[in-house]
Short mmCIF file of all heavy atoms in Angstrom, two decimals:
data_model
loop_
_atom_site.label_atom_id
_atom_site.label_comp_id
_atom_site.label_asym_id
_atom_site.label_seq_id
_atom_site.Cartn_x
_atom_site.Cartn_y
_atom_site.Cartn_z
N ALA A 401 -106.98 52.95 24.41
CA ALA A 401 -108.34 52.39 24.26
C ALA A 401 -108.29 50.87 24.34
O ALA A 401 -107.28 50.26 23.95
CB ALA A 401 -108.92 52.84 22.93
N ALA A 557 -106.53 66.27 4.53
CA ALA A 557 -107.49 67.10 3.77
C ALA A 557 -107.32 66.85 2.26
O ALA A 557 -108.33 66.75 1.52
CB ALA A 557 -107.26 68.57 4.09
N HIS A 723 -117.16 72.88 14.48
CA HIS A 723 -116.62 72.24 15.68
C HIS A 723 -115.11 72.19 15.54
O HIS A 723 -114.59 72.25 14.41
CB HIS A 723 -117.22 70.87 15.87
CG HIS A 723 -117.14 69.98 14.65
ND1 HIS A 723 -116.00 69.30 14.32
CD2 HIS A 723 -118.02 69.72 13.65
CE1 HIS A 723 -116.21 68.62 13.16
NE2 HIS A 723 -117.42 68.89 12.74
N ALA A 760 -140.15 67.65 2.73
CA ALA A 760 -141.49 67.84 2.13
C ALA A 760 -142.48 68.14 3.26
O ALA A 760 -142.57 67.33 4.20
CB ALA A 760 -141.89 66.57 1.39
N SER A 796 -117.58 75.25 -6.44
CA SER A 796 -118.46 76.16 -7.20
C SER A 796 -119.42 75.35 -8.04
O SER A 796 -119.15 74.20 -8.39
CB SER A 796 -117.64 77.10 -8.08
OG SER A 796 -117.07 76.37 -9.15
#
Side-chain angles (χ1 to χ4, degrees):
H723 50 82
S796 70

